[in-house]
Amino acid sequence: MILNKASWIFAKKVLLAFTRRNKSIERSYIRHSAAFGPQDPLLSDMDATFFVKAADLSALLTARKKIVEDLSKDRMLSCFVRDAIVLPSTQNAYDLCKKYYPFRSAYPFETWRSPEDSPSLGMTSMERRLPLDHVPENSLFHYFFPVARGKKTPHNREREFLLRKVQKDSALVGMASVPDRKISFYAALLFEIDLWSSFYQSLQFSAQKGRLILRSRLKYEYPGLLACWHSRGRTLKKGRAISSVWIYPGGINEDAPHVVVNLDSHVAEKECEEAITAVVKLFQRSRCSLVFGSEATMIG
C-alpha cells in the first residue's frame, strides 16, 4: 500500500515534467495498467493517456510519434508506463473516454489521475457484479484473438460467457441491437468488431471535415511478412472475407510488428471462420502480433 502510494506520487511528478516539456500535450492522465503480462511484484504498472493539439489525423500521428519517441528516451517514465494512448484534445474525445472507454468498468475515467489533480481527490469505488469474468473489457485482444490463434483455452461455458460479453459491451456503447440468445465464437467476434468500429467512427477532430481516410504507404519495411502474405493459399485469395491487411510497428514495450487483418463489413460467419483459420496457419511461424478487425477500428 505504501509502495503503491509512493509510486503514484512519483509517477505524477515525472509525468507533469514530461507533459510540460512536450508542447503538443494539453492534458495527460495516468491510471493502473490494463496490460496483461509480467508486472513488477512490488509496484503497480501504469498506463498514460495524452490529449494533444491535433486539427486532423496527420497532426495526431505526428504528435503521437514524438510522444512515443520521447517516452522511450525518458528512463524514469518508461520504467512503469506499460502503454501510452494519444487522443485529440477535443470535448468529443473527453466525452468518449468518460462514457465508452474500452476499459471503463475496471478503470473508469473518474479514477484516472492528472498530475495537476488535487492530491486530496478521492478514488471512486467500483461496483462488482457476479459472475466475475476474469477477462478485461478489451476482450478482442485478451480473449478472441488468443483463442482464435490457439494461444488460449476457450471459456468452459463459452456460449453463455460470450453472450454476457456482447450484451455488456452493447450497453456500454449504447447499441440498440443486442443479442438475446447464445451465440457462437465467430458470431461474437464479428459483433465485437462491428461494435468498436462504430465507436471509433464517432471520434472527431477539431478541424475535421468529412470522413477520415487512411492511405497505405508504398515503402514496405517488412519484406518477410509481405512475402508470407503473397504465398497465401486459395482460401485467402478469394477476396470475399478480407478487405485489407495492414502492418505497423509494435508499441513501447513490444518488439514484434502487428499484422492486422481487416475483415469485410459484410463477411458471413462461416467465411470469417475459414479466413481466420487460414490466416493463423499462414502466419504461425512468423514473428508478429496477429490481430483481426476492420479499417474503422484501425483508424481508431
Side-chain angles (χ1 to χ4, degrees):
M1 179 69 72
I2 295 176
L3 285 174
N4 275 338
K5 185 175 181 180
S7 67
W8 274 100
I9 295 173
F10 176 72
K12 290 172 69 172
K13 182 178 180 180
V14 174
L15 185 64
L16 180 60
F18 179 85
T19 301
R20 287 175 175 173
R21 289 197 305 269
N22 196 308
K23 302 303 181 183
S24 69
I25 301 174
E26 290 201 343
R27 192 164 178 81
S28 59
Y29 292 88
I30 51 176
R31 58 178 173 79
H32 286 293
S33 175
F36 274 25
Q39 300 201 15
D40 194 304
L42 297 177
L43 301 176
S44 295
D45 291 331
M46 300 175 188
D47 287 347
T49 303
F50 301 97
F51 291 91
V52 301
K53 303 171 186 175
D56 52 33
L57 182 60
S58 177
L60 180 68
L61 294 176
T62 300
R64 181 186 184 279
K65 181 179 180 181
K66 186 177 189 309
I67 288 172
V68 170
E69 289 176 350
D70 291 347
L71 273 176
S72 65
K73 297 174 184 177
D74 192 310
R75 299 181 64 180
M76 288 188 290
L77 198 58
S78 61
C79 285
F80 52 79
V81 172
R82 298 281 296 182
D83 195 13
I85 300 168
V86 181
L87 295 171
S89 183
T90 62
Q91 190 59 47
N92 166 263
Y94 283 104
D95 291 342
L96 286 175
C97 284
K98 291 176 182 178
K99 296 179 181 179
Y100 309 128
Y101 187 73
F103 292 105
R104 177 170 170 75
S105 73
Y107 308 101
F109 191 77
E110 291 81 3
T111 66
W112 297 14
R113 287 293 170 263
S114 168
E116 300 173 357
D117 282 344
S118 168
S120 62
L121 191 60
M123 294 292 286
T124 303
S125 60
M126 298 305 302
E127 179 183 3
R128 293 289 181 261
R129 294 181 179 179
L130 296 175
L132 297 176
D133 293 323
H134 296 287
V135 176
E137 283 181 85
N138 194 348
S139 54
L140 281 175
F141 280 90
H142 297 303
Y143 183 78
F144 287 99
F145 299 158
V147 170
R149 297 183 64 186
K151 305 292 185 181
K152 186 182 183 73
T153 303
H155 195 282
N156 58 1
R157 293 182 62 85
E158 187 178 56
R159 287 182 177 266
E160 292 85 352
F161 166 75
L162 293 174
L163 182 60
R164 290 197 300 273
K165 287 301 299 176
V166 299
Q167 287 180 334
K168 180 178 179 181
D169 289 347
S170 297
L172 183 73
V173 180
M175 288 186 66
S177 177
V178 181
D180 58 358
R181 57 181 176 81
K182 297 178 182 178
I183 57 177
S184 69
F185 175 85
Y186 288 97
L189 170 61
L190 289 173
F191 184 90
E192 288 281 324
I193 290 174
D194 288 343
L195 184 150
W196 292 115
S197 294
S198 66
F199 167 77
Y200 283 118
Q201 283 178 321
S202 64
L203 187 64
Q204 298 175 359
F205 295 91
S206 58
Q208 179 180 329
K209 295 181 180 180
R211 187 173 180 178
L212 292 175
I213 298 176
L214 293 186
R215 294 178 175 83
S216 61
R217 295 178 58 180
L218 297 178
K219 179 181 176 182
Y220 294 101
E221 299 177 354
Y222 306 98
L225 294 175
L226 187 64
C228 182
W229 176 248
H230 284 324
S231 69
R232 64 193 186 278
R234 184 184 305 173
T235 301
L236 295 175
K237 289 183 178 179
K238 293 178 181 178
R240 292 186 299 177
I242 298 174
S243 59
S244 63
V245 177
W246 295 1
I247 304 174
Y248 68 97
I252 297 174
N253 296 298
E254 300 171 306
D255 57 0
H258 295 278
V259 174
V260 183
V261 179
N262 295 312
L263 301 172
D264 185 84
S265 59
H266 302 294
V267 63
E269 180 183 341
K270 183 62 176 178
E271 292 174 339
C272 171
E273 179 178 0
E274 292 175 351
I276 289 179
T277 301
V279 168
V280 169
K281 183 178 180 180
L282 179 67
F283 286 103
Q284 62 184 348
R285 298 184 182 277
S286 300
R287 184 173 167 275
C288 66
S289 174
L290 182 62
V291 297
F292 303 88
S294 68
E295 292 186 0
T297 58
M298 284 304 301
I299 288 177

